[in-house]
Amino acid sequence: MLRYALRTLARMAVTFLVIVTLVFFATRISGNPLDFILADGLTSEDRAILIRYYELDRSWWHQYLAFLRGFWDGQFGLSFIERRPVGTIVLERLWPTAQLLLSAMALTLALALPLGILAAMHRDRWIGSAVMTLAFLGYAVPNFVLAVFLILIFAYWLNWLPVVGNATAWHFILPTLTLASGLVAALTRFTRNAMLDVLGQDFMRTARAKGLSERAVILRHGLRNAGITILSVVGLQVAGLAAAGSVVVESIFAWPGIGELLVRSAIRRDYPVLQFGVLTVAFAVIVINALIDLAYAWADPRLRQRGA
Amino acid sequence: MSHLLKATALATSLAALIGAAQAQEITVVAGNMSSYLDPGRDHSNVGSQFYFNLFDPLIHRDYSKLEPEWLPGLAVSWQLVGPTTMELKLREGVKFHNGATMTADDVVFSLNRMFQATFPPYQVRQRDRLGNFDRAEKVDALTIRVHTKREETLWETLLNLQQLYIVPEAYIKALAGDPNAVENDDFEAWGLAPVGTGPYRLAEFVPGQRIVYERFDDFWGEPAPLARVTVRHVPEVASRLTALRTGEAHIATNIAPDQLALIEADPGLKAEGSNTALFHVVIFNVNHPKMQDPRIRRALSLAIDRDLMNEALWLGKAIIPSTHSIAEFGALYMPELKTFYYDPEEAKRLLAEAGYDGFEVVYDMHSPSYYTNDTLAAQAIMEMWAAVGVNGRINAIPKWTGNDPNMMARTWSNPMYFADPAGMFGVMWAPGGPAQSEGRFNTDADYAAAWERFRFSTDLEARKAAYAELMERIKNDPPLIPLWRPYESWAMRKEVSWRPQPGHIPYVLDFRAGAIALDAMN
């Protein structure tokens, strides 16, 4: 297990270095921040002054080395536009996104697991088809359409729920529903399929033959074994969301999250913010993936042995 | 559950509204939010919304009027004491938001930080509009003098600029590094924690997210009508309007023309609008090999039916200028000049004469859409060009291409930075100015001579004649065509009385006494 963990760690480090480098060069290939920050109405003399001031006259290699050195020292630089430390800016945005992500995942798990099990157990009856139809719908309706419908119904017409920002618990309801809808749909389908695979296995028959109740058979033996598949889907979903999958939702609900920040920084070519923001997200995704890997290993003894 | 939810939500929103009316608190949902708050370095349409509540200039104006009527600000009187020297008497006992009393040293520091700028972002602003100022100096505790390099006809206009708002010297110097020296880092830090003398102080600022103003009790003038104003960034217009309906917000900025019917249909809401003091323009690159012939550019300009687009895109609410001039210029407003007009037959004739061979004219526009109606306007312009035989293509591109030698034509805007042709046409199209230095506009000795007379002549008629000369040059060899003064709208709840004031530069959210009122809940 320890060796497996170490190997995971090493893989994380390499992935991270590759991402650091990619992000650095990709942001620079995509355009000069002066075309965005200061944009129009500058004489060439003014441009020259500002290019020097923002240290954009240095070569890419110089900037890259300075960037890596800064990383080592924990100095990530100032935003070109806000002139604040990028760490402050990104951290300010990270927590609201994490909150939204956690509430959406909690809702997803709470709905998708029972629904998926239900659909699997009643796959030939109306209840199974009903669940699957709903799941299909949830999958087919894009986030931004659903968000607009929810806003229209619950805020615009009924006036029950707020739509702007994250000030109170009420503010969480609509964005969470929007974000969770697609996830619930996907996870319900996966849970159902995973359960169906498991339900026909010999050990399930054995469990029943032992005289266990159906409930115990499903939960203790069925779900536990289907869990490996489900876990991988949940991992992908969390990682996808963390990688700015909530951009649209954040923008519609004026949620002060990291997705909105990254899009805005990309449009304005605020390199320092973009770099640090993408790296923070990448780091989160890598950590989540590593945790899932470890959870696999814990859930599936075969993996541990292969690693050893 | 749903009843409980409804009842709770209703109760909270009602309570919030009543509370807001009593406590004189409002929330504004804004389509754009500043990343920093420094009136000296900023000249954006985003920033211009926020400074007027926080700061004062030496010379105010009556912002409820279009024509300039100068009023005492932090100076109580001013007079010329020489051809290039103005002496100003300062208001006594003015407090900054940090409690410090404003001194002549603060005023001299504020002016010289721009006139003799060392901070690069200030240097840029100094050159594009404050170039004629030499220095400010203290005479005594309540008197200062400002010196220009040459005679200046725009004294009050320029001293009213947001770049010359008065700021606290000691506070700024102490922000970073050596507390007794002016360093670049002082000004960088200043943009996040500005302190002024205005009726509101900055209670909270989260760049890109929100600004919270609170009434400043030691304000020298009429007290602020609101105790607290929260401006929140809400990028989606649908979310802004919904927030108005739910009572989460009282005013919403940046409302597109096609939303106005929706607002008028809602008994709880209303809209206020005005023709913003800026032009949306099309610029041409006069040095592009295929665009060098002025007849080609004249034809492209003459082919555009701006009145038709006004009806179709702006419901007739935009203003179509006949020349580069707007009513805010006062005595220098010259609508009698006919610089830009629609004449498709003349366009066809010029194209034939120039031997236009059907080459593609690429029309750059900002992506994502930046100006209200810009995409529809671009599409209409392509159709209008096609109607005279020009093969146009829209190139949506997320960056500024005005300095790219391959640029042929693109969208842009010309804001009015101050109420004079020098503050609108002048900032962009001066000899050696940005248009020329980006390589898409040329000037010669004649243009420069006319420019000199226009900018520095002390005789009004001479200024007008010189400006007419410049416009004739622009007409015959066009580097741009102004499309319109756009009509910008703000939506608000019925109990709010607010409208954009005509004496301001574009987009100012003026919440001072007289500019906003909240009716009691009915």
Side-chain angles (χ1 to χ4, degrees):
Chain A
M1 188 73 187
L2 180 67
R3 224 159 120 191
Y4 185 76
L6 283 178
R7 195 180 281 194
T8 307
L9 262 178
R11 208 164 44 218
M12 278 168 67
V14 173
T15 315
F16 199 64
L17 188 69
V18 170
I19 292 173
V20 165
T21 308
L22 272 179
V23 165
F24 179 88
F25 287 101
T27 47
R28 270 152 188 81
I29 288 166
S30 66
N32 185 335
L34 285 185
D35 291 333
F36 304 88
I37 314 174
L38 310 150
D40 45 1
L42 284 183
T43 64
S44 40
E45 199 182 351
D46 293 335
R47 281 182 77 84
I49 290 178
L50 292 171
I51 285 172
R52 261 198 314 281
Y53 183 65
Y54 288 108
E55 297 187 350
L56 290 165
D57 52 344
R58 310 280 183 81
S59 74
W60 281 14
W61 290 111
H62 186 283
Q63 293 179 42
Y64 180 60
L65 290 177
F67 174 61
L68 287 183
R69 203 166 41 240
F71 232 88
W72 193 250
D73 302 340
Q75 296 291 323
F76 305 107
L78 297 180
S79 155
F80 281 148
I81 296 170
E82 294 183 14
R83 310 307 286 161
R84 295 193 291 159
V86 294
T88 314
I89 296 175
V90 169
L91 290 181
E92 216 169 71
R93 299 294 194 119
L94 207 55
W95 179 229
T97 294
Q99 282 177 305
L100 187 57
L101 194 148
L102 287 176
S103 74
M105 278 322 297
L107 183 64
T108 302
L109 289 174
L111 289 180
L113 293 186
L115 281 177
I117 294 171
L118 204 65
M121 289 171 64
H122 305 281
R123 66 172 151 165
D124 296 324
R125 267 172 280 169
W126 68 269
I127 193 164
S129 333
V131 168
M132 290 324 287
T133 311
L134 264 180
F136 184 74
L137 259 179
Y139 211 58
V141 178
N143 264 347
F144 56 91
V145 175
L146 183 67
V148 170
F149 270 112
L150 290 175
I151 287 178
L152 260 180
I153 296 170
F154 293 101
Y156 202 81
W157 287 333
L158 298 175
N159 228 328
W160 290 356
L161 292 169
V163 290
V164 169
N166 61 342
T168 67
W170 298 111
H171 285 88
F172 276 75
I173 297 176
L174 293 184
T176 301
L177 282 177
T178 308
L179 210 53
S181 71
L183 304 177
V184 171
L187 192 61
T188 302
R189 290 171 66 100
F190 276 106
T191 305
R192 172 183 177 267
N193 293 348
M195 284 304 287
L196 283 179
D197 283 347
V198 170
L199 284 177
Q201 301 278 337
D202 291 345
F203 62 81
M204 294 294 281
R205 218 173 308 140
T206 314
R208 282 200 192 91
K210 276 199 300 189
L212 286 174
S213 71
E214 188 62 17
R215 190 189 152 93
V217 171
I218 296 288
L219 290 183
R220 208 174 303 153
H221 295 275
L223 194 57
R224 178 105 188 252
N225 280 285
I228 295 171
T229 315
I230 296 172
L231 193 63
S232 69
V233 176
V234 171
L236 282 175
Q237 287 187 333
V238 175
L241 274 190
S246 49
V247 172
V248 175
V249 174
E250 286 180 5
S251 172
I252 292 178
F253 292 98
W255 198 268
I258 199 160
E260 201 264 341
L261 176 76
L262 290 185
V263 170
R264 207 154 46 96
S265 305
I267 289 173
R268 302 193 296 185
R269 301 301 189 277
D270 193 348
Y271 296 162
V273 175
L274 191 60
Q275 280 161 188
F276 189 67
V278 170
L279 290 178
T280 309
V281 169
F283 185 71
V285 172
I286 290 171
V287 168
I288 291 166
N289 276 332
L291 288 177
I292 301 266
D293 275 358
L294 291 176
Y296 265 164
W298 171 77
D300 187 346
R302 286 167 299 178
L303 271 180
R304 255 176 293 169
Q305 277 144 22
R306 218 177 300 156
Chain B
M1 171 64 191
S2 72
H3 284 294
L4 179 68
L5 195 67
K6 186 175 183 177
T8 319
L10 263 179
T12 31
S13 60
L14 263 179
L17 273 177
I18 294 167
Q22 283 167 349
Q24 301 162 313
E25 292 186 7
I26 65 165
T27 297
V28 179
V29 280
N32 297 299
M33 173 58 63
S34 288
S35 302
Y36 61 85
L37 291 173
D38 178 352
R41 81 196 278 183
D42 199 354
H43 76 160
S44 71
N45 291 332
V46 177
S48 67
Q49 299 178 101
F50 304 116
Y51 298 116
F52 187 67
N53 296 319
L54 298 171
F55 295 97
D56 290 298
L58 289 169
I59 301 177
H60 267 302
R61 57 182 285 174
D62 183 343
Y63 300 95
S64 68
K65 295 189 179 131
L66 191 69
E67 296 74 28
E69 192 179 311
W70 306 111
L71 299 174
L74 297 182
V76 289
S77 67
W78 54 94
Q79 60 171 343
L80 283 179
V81 294
T84 59
T85 305
M86 179 175 271
E87 189 169 285
L88 300 100
K89 292 281 176 200
L90 303 179
R91 191 177 291 277
E92 219 176 327
V94 172
K95 293 279 187 197
F96 283 109
H97 300 152
N98 65 348
T101 303
M102 181 190 80
T103 65
D105 292 316
D106 289 314
V107 176
V108 167
F109 168 80
S110 302
L111 300 180
N112 284 340
R113 93 191 197 284
M114 302 306 301
F115 297 164
Q116 299 170 345
T118 52
F119 181 47
Y122 290 166
Q123 292 176 329
V124 173
R125 294 283 86 83
Q126 185 271 335
R127 269 212 296 276
D128 74 9
R129 66 202 63 182
L130 303 169
N132 192 35
F133 286 105
D134 181 42
R135 67 186 194 283
E137 61 175 346
K138 177 178 169 179
V139 176
D140 62 43
L142 284 175
T143 312
I144 65 143
R145 283 185 176 185
V146 177
H147 301 276
T148 57
K149 294 167 188 159
R150 309 172 53 174
E151 274 188 70
E152 180 57 76
T153 53
L154 302 172
W155 276 103
E156 287 89 351
T157 305
L158 293 173
L159 288 175
N160 180 254
L161 286 177
Q162 78 177 36
Q163 280 75 23
L164 300 183
Y165 284 166
I166 301 307
V167 300
E169 177 179 17
Y171 170 84
I172 291 180
K173 283 181 172 171
L175 283 171
D178 180 348
N180 297 311
V182 180
E183 295 137 314
N184 289 340
D185 283 347
D186 288 327
F187 293 121
E188 295 287 9
W190 159 250
L192 297 171
V195 162
T197 58
Y200 295 90
R201 62 177 198 87
L202 189 67
E204 192 191 3
F205 173 46
V206 185
Q209 293 184 38
R210 68 181 173 277
I211 290 175
V212 181
Y213 298 109
E214 271 174 10
R215 182 187 289 135
F216 175 49
D217 292 323
D218 291 331
F219 178 53
W220 57 270
E222 203 180 329
L226 302 173
R228 192 178 166 90
V229 180
T230 304
V231 187
R232 304 183 56 98
H233 181 211
V234 179
E236 288 296 318
V237 65
S239 306
R240 291 200 292 280
L241 284 179
T242 308
L244 281 187
R245 269 188 67 115
T246 60
E248 281 179 86
H250 302 81
I251 299 179
T253 73
N254 302 75
I255 303 299
D258 58 1
Q259 308 272 350
L260 291 176
L262 196 71
I263 294 159
E264 276 152 25
D266 190 316
L269 304 183
K270 63 179 176 179
E272 293 284 356
S274 73
N275 288 102
T276 307
L278 64 81
F279 291 141
H280 290 174
V281 305
V282 177
I283 53 171
F284 301 119
N285 180 0
V286 307
N287 291 320
H288 188 284
K290 299 203 159 168
M291 303 283 283
Q292 271 172 335
D293 188 333
R295 290 172 296 188
I296 298 281
R297 282 174 276 114
R298 283 195 62 196
L300 293 176
S301 170
L302 291 166
I304 300 177
D305 186 351
R306 297 173 299 160
D307 290 313
L308 180 65
M309 286 197 280
N310 186 14
E311 289 306 317
L313 307 183
W314 296 97
L315 314 169
K317 289 173 180 239
I319 293 173
I320 306 297
S322 68
T323 187
H324 207 302
S325 192
I326 61 177
E328 279 81 345
F329 295 169
L332 272 104
Y333 177 44
M334 295 194 280
E336 65 277 13
L337 299 180
K338 300 281 176 256
T339 314
F340 311 103
Y341 51 91
Y342 173 57
D343 187 345
E345 292 314 312
E346 176 70 358
K348 284 182 199 160
R349 195 184 65 74
L350 286 169
L351 285 170
E353 206 179 285
Y356 172 69
D357 61 1
F359 68 78
E360 186 175 71
V361 178
V362 181
Y363 182 87
D364 294 350
M365 64 167 283
H366 200 274
S367 163
S369 170
Y370 183 73
Y371 303 115
T372 308
N373 275 334
D374 59 356
T375 309
L376 292 171
Q379 288 164 352
I381 289 169
M382 293 309 104
E383 290 302 314
M384 289 166 180
W385 283 355
V388 298
V390 170
N391 176 21
R393 177 170 67 83
I394 297 172
N395 176 37
I397 183 168
K399 66 170 197 166
W400 174 241
T401 52
N403 53 358
D404 181 345
N406 295 317
M407 187 275 282
M408 298 174 88
R410 80 163 277 137
T411 53
W412 199 24
S413 76
N414 256 199
M416 179 193 82
Y417 295 113
F418 51 89
D420 187 272
M424 191 170 186
F425 180 77
V427 173
M428 303 298 179
W429 305 95
Q436 180 167 19
S437 105
E438 288 191 327
R440 57 187 154 79
F441 175 57
N442 304 326
T443 63
D444 56 20
D446 283 349
Y447 187 95
W451 178 268
E452 276 293 304
R453 279 180 279 124
F454 150 67
R455 175 64 183 85
F456 290 109
S457 176
T458 50
D459 173 37
L460 177 68
E461 288 311 314
R463 286 197 74 200
K464 289 179 76 168
Y467 195 66
E469 245 176 80
L470 292 172
M471 286 301 114
E472 194 60 21
R473 296 272 306 233
I474 296 293
K475 174 183 175 176
N476 294 328
D477 194 352
L480 89 158
I481 171 171
L483 295 175
W484 40 64
R485 283 184 71 161
Y487 185 82
E488 300 280 0
S489 303
W490 290 258
M492 63 208 77
R493 296 183 64 86
K494 278 263 165 72
E495 66 266 23
V496 179
S497 299
W498 183 87
R499 60 166 50 89
Q501 302 282 320
H504 282 300
I505 57 170
Y507 303 107
V508 172
L509 287 171
D510 180 349
F511 297 138
R512 290 186 180 223
I516 187 163
L518 296 183
D519 300 344
M521 290 289 293
N522 36 21

